[in-house]
Amino acid sequence: MAVGSDIVTPELVGKHQFDELLDPSFDATHYAHELVRSRDTMELKADKISSIMTDLSATSSSLDARMRATVLGTHEQILEQVLGVASVDVTLEQVEDQVREIKQYMHALRTKIRVPYGQALEYTRQARNLQLATRHVRATSKFMQLVRRLAVQIPESGGRPDYALAALTLVDIERLVNTSDLCGIDVVDRALATEVTPRRQQTANEANEMLVGGMRRQHQSDVGSGLQILFNLGIISNAVDTRIQASIAALHTIITGRIDPRALHIGVREHNARATAIDGRDMVGIDTILWTRLEDMIDAVLASGLEVRVLERVLQRKRDVLRVDARVDASYLDVVASKLGDRVLALWWTKVVDTIAREIHASCDESSVVRQILTNNYPRLVQLFLPRLEPLLAARLGGVTSVRDLQSSVASVLIGDDDTGCAGDVDLAQSPNVRYSDWGMRVLWTRLLSVFEAEYVNKAASRMDDSVARCFPAPPPAGLVDAQSTWAQRHNTKSDELQAVSTVPNRKLVASVVRSVGTELEMAKSDARLCTMVARAATRAISSFVATTKERLLSVMDNPRVVDPCAATAHPMTRSVIGLINCVEALRVGISELCQPADQPLTAPAQSVLCTCRDELQTFIDAQSDVLLDAADRAISQALLDVDNSSLWSHAEHALQWLQTQVLEPLDPRRSSRVHTMTDSYLTLFVHTVCVTMSLTETAKLRLVSELPQLEFACSQAASTMGVRVTGDAYKSVRQMRPLLFMTSRELAQVLGERGAEWSSVSELDLLNHVVCRVATEEEAACVPHELLGCSRREWLGGVAGSEFVESTDVCRNKEMLHLWDTRNLSASCRAVVCECLNRMLKHKLADDLVALIQAALSMK
């Protein structure tokens, strides 16, 4: 017996001996057994039991008292609840009576409508059965009509069967049988077994025979008839796919193992075993067998591809015009492509290319000899496919096209050409109708040709780089350099001469670079893409040549003695600078000839690349030639400015001779305009020097009469090396300077005042300078203006040019200059003329009042 916690009384609270008794899981029997089996003595057990019973009795009495008090206190509430239960019982009895009445009414209603409802159900079932029977009868009747029509269209004997209409009838029969449950009808089952199935098989076989025969004979009418029957039968997609797979399987049988290295070696041995020539000229190597078998493979691909192309052309032209639910603008090709995922020829071509690529790559992986043959003869590999496969690859001739062509063309417009930089729409030279942008050619290049093209271009670039590297060999080791120095000292040879020899590449080596580029372009000329890639590789090789040349030019030009016109002997490295420029010029000439070959022009992209390279070479040559000529010009001008008047002509002659023999004659690039400017500047500088700084005594005049013609001749000789004639104003000024030397002061003043046409080449400033020198010489016994002013000769020449003189607006009237002139006892006329002339010359302002002033000063003399 278990004591629950709900009867806990205040008397029990706090007594620990009742905790176990009040536990909800308390078991009295188990408790008693435990108490009996305890180790206590019987007296203790009895006392313990008595104590528990006493407590329980007292607690029970207290519990009874509390229950009696509770009942007496809640008596009124209990009575009210009892009365409420009685009223609920009355209400429940009323509800039960109403429910019984409703049940009775429903039973009577069910009894009234059961019979009519059952009759209605029966009639409905009979009508449904009748309708189903009518439908089956009608379907059976229509089926028999179609069977009789099929028998007429395909008679058992005699008459010509109409398989196209029979295919439509078979489709209608199949649709009728599938939509109507005619199974189990004897007449239908018998007709299907004896009439429909054999004729369907006969129609399908005839359509396949027409399709296969038409494809083999390239007869589009037979192909179209077969496709029409297959389309009417609804199996055109499966039939076309079967034909494609059969063609691919046949090619796979032909291609697989055809160029296996072991098979190639066996073919070589068998062929050579049959050779009969004594000298062995009819024996072949592995490359001959390889190319022969590759050609046989491509011939088989072409024959099969032409059959598939005829199939696709007919599919493109045929449209369903008999079926009402057919789309007018949908061709058979659209239907087949939607089922197969792409056009027929595109699917066939993709799988065939995969088969060929897999076979070739497997052979190359197994034999490095095969890979080397195909790589070294990559243009021939391309020619295996083109123009032989042009009917299949040329999209404009109805070749391979894909449903992805539109997406790829849009993408090419958005992102441009591929990573090679070759324009995709460029025609191939060996096949003008095929472009790399055509889908078939893209598949062929991506899956097969790209690997061999990359290897071929790398080898071509390596060969061109090697030809460039031979032009600039690596520096010798330290021991060899010491030996060369010892040999040079023993044979009285300067080390600069040895360095000059090793700096400039040999002309033959430069020509070998051009030959190497020309050979590679000639081999790649048949393929626009390959030719462009080789041209780019050639441009990189030439760029490395130019970069090395530029480094050597910079290292040589750092030596100031290289361009020294006043040196007793020409520096050996001067010819090295010119030799380096000439090498680049020879390279430019060779590239220019390659841009316009006489026999067969290059493709437009390759020609554009080479023309760009040629223009860059021309720019480099012009820049480096200008650097050399500018350095020579500065050196010659510096030499002419730094010498005194007594040795002016000897320096000028030596400098011009150095320019002609050491620079212009060995220089191949024609810099005519630059040389013309240089000779004009030397003539002008000489005239300025004579007019401004030379004391015009009788001895000086006689010397100038002989030096001026020599100057003209030296400048003409220097300019003639570049094909230039010295006929400018500077040349005319020198020629007109000679008669001025022997004019009197009055005649000079008259020339200055009249300025006739015969003196138009001599500038007014030069005439003015000459007048000043005349006045100073006649008045001050061979004194020249810069000596009167206390300036150096170089400062005075710069002052006349207006660039390196003092900036005072009245340079001749300062205290120091006036004191200098007073000590020299210049006459008033000479001082006035010189002062005014100098001030006007410094300001470069020539006016009529100056001419009048000079004439007045000369008349006062």
Side-chain angles (χ1 to χ4, degrees):
M1 175 181 177
V3 179
S5 61
D6 294 339
I7 62 173
V8 178
T9 61
E11 290 77 4
L12 294 178
V13 177
K15 295 184 178 182
H16 299 288
Q17 63 270 26
F18 296 115
D19 291 341
E20 186 177 1
L21 300 178
L22 296 176
D23 193 329
S25 61
F26 176 74
D27 186 2
T29 303
H30 179 72
Y31 182 78
H33 285 295
E34 290 291 332
L35 187 62
V36 171
R37 286 196 299 268
S38 65
R39 296 180 180 181
D40 297 335
T41 60
M42 296 300 296
E43 291 79 7
L44 291 176
K45 294 179 181 178
D47 293 340
K48 188 174 182 180
I49 294 172
S50 299
S51 176
I52 293 173
M53 294 301 294
T54 303
D55 292 337
L56 289 174
S57 299
T59 304
S60 178
S61 300
S62 176
L63 184 60
D64 290 339
R66 287 183 64 86
M67 291 179 62
R68 189 179 300 109
T70 301
V71 170
L72 292 176
T74 58
H75 179 69
E76 296 296 333
Q77 296 178 357
I78 294 173
L79 290 178
E80 291 178 357
Q81 293 177 358
V82 170
L83 293 176
V85 171
S87 61
V88 170
D89 290 338
V90 174
T91 304
L92 287 176
E93 290 178 358
Q94 294 176 357
V95 171
E96 289 177 357
D97 293 340
Q98 293 176 358
V99 170
R100 281 193 296 273
E101 291 177 359
I102 292 173
K103 288 182 178 180
Q104 293 175 358
Y105 176 76
M106 293 298 297
H107 180 71
L109 182 62
R110 183 168 54 252
T111 303
K112 184 177 180 180
I113 67 173
R114 178 181 297 173
V115 175
Y117 178 72
Q119 293 177 353
L121 289 178
E122 181 65 21
Y123 295 154
T124 302
R125 185 181 60 80
Q126 293 176 359
R128 184 171 59 252
N129 293 337
L130 181 61
Q131 184 179 7
L132 183 61
T134 304
R135 185 181 303 125
H136 278 74
V137 171
R138 187 182 296 111
T140 304
S141 176
K142 186 176 181 179
F143 174 81
M144 296 308 298
Q145 291 177 2
L146 292 175
V147 170
R148 286 191 293 271
R149 184 191 303 171
L150 181 62
V152 173
Q153 293 170 348
I154 306 178
E156 292 183 357
S157 61
R160 184 178 181 180
D162 191 348
Y163 290 106
L165 295 179
L168 289 176
T169 303
L170 288 170
V171 171
D172 293 338
I173 291 174
E174 183 178 1
R175 186 184 298 110
L176 180 61
V177 172
N178 291 333
T179 56
S180 302
D181 187 11
L182 300 181
C183 297
I185 302 176
D186 294 339
V187 64
V188 174
D189 294 340
R190 186 168 53 255
L192 286 175
T194 60
E195 300 289 341
V196 177
T197 302
R199 284 179 170 82
R200 181 180 181 83
Q201 186 65 33
Q202 180 183 353
T203 304
N205 293 338
E206 184 65 22
N208 285 323
E209 290 178 2
M210 295 172 64
L211 180 62
V212 173
M215 291 174 59
R216 186 179 300 111
R217 297 188 304 270
Q218 300 288 300
H219 198 284
Q220 297 187 9
S221 178
D222 292 346
V223 175
S225 299
L227 290 176
Q228 182 68 53
I229 296 172
L230 294 172
F231 180 81
N232 293 339
L233 288 175
I235 59 174
I236 186 171
S237 299
N238 296 332
V240 171
D241 185 47
T242 301
R243 290 307 313 150
I244 295 175
Q245 297 303 327
S247 176
I248 294 173
L251 288 176
H252 186 271
T253 303
I254 297 174
I255 294 173
T256 303
R258 186 67 175 168
I259 57 174
D260 183 76
R262 290 182 293 274
L264 293 176
H265 287 293
I266 293 173
V268 171
R269 288 196 299 270
E270 292 177 352
H271 184 279
N272 293 337
R274 295 191 300 268
T276 58
I278 299 177
D279 55 357
R281 61 178 178 272
D282 55 348
M283 301 182 69
V284 298
I286 188 174
D287 55 343
T288 304
I289 300 298
L290 174 63
W291 291 114
T292 302
R293 295 192 175 186
L294 284 176
E295 290 174 357
D296 295 340
M297 290 167 49
I298 300 305
D299 290 339
V301 170
L302 177 61
S304 180
L306 292 176
E307 296 178 1
V308 179
R309 189 185 70 162
V310 170
L311 175 61
E312 181 173 292
R313 284 186 174 182
V314 178
L315 285 171
Q316 180 68 36
R317 294 173 182 176
K318 294 287 289 184
R319 282 173 168 75
D320 183 17
V321 296
L322 299 178
R323 308 242 327 249
V324 179
D325 57 343
R327 285 169 41 196
V328 178
D329 58 339
S331 63
Y332 288 179
L333 184 60
D334 297 331
V335 176
V336 174
S338 63
K339 296 291 184 63
L340 303 183
D342 205 344
R343 292 173 177 258
V344 175
L345 191 56
L347 286 173
W348 175 87
W349 176 247
T350 302
K351 294 183 180 180
V352 169
V353 170
D354 288 340
T355 303
I356 297 174
R358 186 165 52 251
E359 182 67 19
I360 292 178
H361 290 324
S363 180
C364 292
D365 294 339
E366 189 172 350
S367 173
S368 60
V369 176
V370 175
R371 177 180 292 277
Q372 185 176 3
I373 292 173
L374 296 178
T375 301
N376 294 340
N377 299 275
Y378 173 73
R380 184 176 179 180
L381 179 63
V382 176
Q383 291 174 359
L384 279 177
F385 298 94
L386 296 171
R388 188 172 301 179
L389 297 184
E390 180 178 345
L392 302 181
L393 297 179
R396 66 180 71 177
L397 298 181
V400 181
T401 56
S402 172
V403 295
R404 294 184 291 272
D405 270 345
L406 179 60
Q407 301 174 356
S408 61
S409 62
V410 173
S412 64
V413 172
L414 295 178
I415 65 176
D417 297 323
D418 54 14
D419 57 352
T420 64
C422 180
D425 58 350
V426 174
D427 298 338
L428 279 74
Q430 73 273 30
S431 184
N433 294 313
V434 180
R435 300 179 177 181
Y436 270 105
S437 60
D438 293 342
W439 191 84
M441 194 62 198
R442 290 205 307 271
V443 172
L444 178 63
W445 184 87
T446 303
R447 307 192 181 194
L448 176 60
L449 300 180
S450 59
V451 176
F452 297 102
E453 182 191 78
E455 294 180 0
Y456 180 85
V457 172
N458 290 335
K459 287 188 175 182
S462 177
R463 289 191 290 267
M464 291 184 288
D465 291 338
D466 291 341
S467 64
V468 172
R470 287 192 294 270
C471 295
F472 302 100
L480 182 58
V481 174
D482 297 338
Q484 290 178 349
S485 301
T486 304
W487 182 88
Q489 293 175 0
R490 186 178 302 168
H491 293 80
N492 297 325
T493 303
K494 297 182 179 179
S495 59
D496 291 340
E497 296 180 0
L498 293 177
Q499 183 182 1
V501 172
S502 61
T503 299
V504 182
N506 192 336
R507 285 296 186 94
K508 293 183 179 180
L509 296 178
V510 177
S512 68
V513 175
V514 179
R515 284 196 303 271
S516 176
V517 173
T519 302
E520 300 298 337
L521 290 175
E522 184 66 27
M523 295 176 62
K525 190 183 296 184
S526 60
D527 188 355
R529 183 190 187 90
L530 179 63
C531 190
T532 303
M533 298 298 293
V534 172
R536 292 181 184 276
T539 301
R540 291 191 292 269
I542 293 172
S543 298
S544 65
F545 184 96
V546 172
T548 306
T549 302
K550 186 174 182 179
E551 292 178 359
R552 297 199 172 191
L553 284 173
L554 293 176
S555 62
V556 172
M557 291 298 291
D558 287 340
N559 187 354
R561 295 186 294 111
V562 172
V563 184
D564 187 6
C566 298
T569 57
H571 197 277
M573 296 303 290
T574 305
R575 288 298 183 95
S576 298
V577 175
I578 299 173
L580 290 172
I581 297 176
N582 290 341
C583 288
V584 181
E585 173 64 14
L587 191 60
R588 184 198 66 81
V589 173
I591 296 300
S592 300
E593 294 176 354
L594 293 178
C595 291
Q596 298 292 338
D599 50 352
Q600 183 181 359
L602 296 176
T603 58
Q607 190 171 1
S608 176
V609 172
L610 288 182
C611 289
T612 303
C613 178
R614 177 197 61 193
D615 297 340
E616 292 176 354
L617 288 176
Q618 184 64 57
T619 302
F620 175 80
I621 292 169
D622 293 344
Q624 298 302 323
S625 299
D626 288 341
V627 170
L628 174 62
L629 294 178
D630 289 343
D633 189 20
R634 288 193 300 270
I636 294 173
S637 299
Q638 184 78 15
L640 293 178
L641 289 173
D642 289 342
V643 299
D644 55 7
N645 292 330
S646 60
S647 58
L648 176 61
W649 165 242
S650 60
H651 278 72
E653 183 182 17
H654 187 275
L656 289 173
Q657 186 178 6
W658 175 87
L659 176 65
Q660 177 183 349
T661 58
Q662 300 298 322
V663 178
L664 298 181
E665 288 181 355
L667 187 64
D668 290 343
R670 302 291 91 183
R671 305 295 295 159
S672 303
S673 59
R674 185 71 182 88
V675 173
H676 188 274
T677 303
M678 292 171 62
T679 54
D680 281 354
S681 65
Y682 302 151
L683 292 172
T684 302
L685 181 61
F686 194 88
V687 169
H688 283 323
T689 304
V690 171
C691 294
V692 179
T693 65
M694 186 171 288
S695 179
L696 298 179
T697 61
E698 292 299 327
T699 304
K701 291 178 183 180
L702 294 175
R703 183 163 60 88
L704 285 174
V705 169
S706 62
E707 291 179 354
L708 287 175
Q710 297 179 32
L711 176 65
E712 297 172 14
F713 178 76
C715 290
S716 298
Q717 288 294 106
S720 63
T721 56
M722 291 290 169
V724 180
R725 295 184 61 188
V726 182
T727 58
D729 292 339
Y731 177 74
K732 295 177 182 179
S733 177
V734 172
R735 292 183 64 86
Q736 294 177 358
M737 194 68 201
R738 282 178 288 179
L740 294 177
L741 297 175
F742 298 96
M743 289 185 181
T744 63
S745 299
R746 294 184 180 277
E747 291 173 343
L748 282 175
Q750 184 179 359
V751 169
L752 186 60
E754 296 178 356
R755 292 284 293 167
E758 66 274 11
W759 309 110
S760 58
S761 297
V762 182
S763 66
E764 196 172 37
L765 183 60
D766 290 338
L767 286 175
L768 183 59
N769 294 334
H770 189 58
V771 169
V772 173
C773 286
R774 278 296 188 91
V775 174
T777 302
E778 294 175 1
E779 293 290 337
E780 295 298 328
C783 286
V784 288
H786 73 87
E787 295 177 352
L788 297 176
L789 293 173
C791 302
S792 66
R793 177 176 175 276
R794 181 178 179 81
E795 288 176 343
W796 177 242
L797 285 174
V800 172
S803 58
E804 299 179 3
F805 201 58
V806 291
E807 299 179 357
S808 174
T809 58
D810 198 2
V811 67
C812 300
R813 298 186 184 276
N814 55 61
K815 295 180 180 180
E816 293 79 3
M817 202 62 65
L818 290 175
H819 176 71
L820 177 63
W821 286 25
D822 289 340
T823 57
R824 291 183 179 273
N825 297 321
L826 287 176
S827 63
S829 60
C830 180
R831 184 165 58 243
V833 170
V834 173
C835 288
E836 292 296 333
C837 290
L838 290 178
N839 283 320
R840 297 302 180 91
M841 280 191 295
L842 289 176
K843 298 176 182 178
H844 282 192
K845 294 180 180 179
L846 304 176
D848 295 337
D849 58 341
L850 178 59
V851 176
L853 179 61
I854 295 175
Q855 292 177 345
L858 292 176
S859 64
M860 292 169 56
K861 175 178 173 293

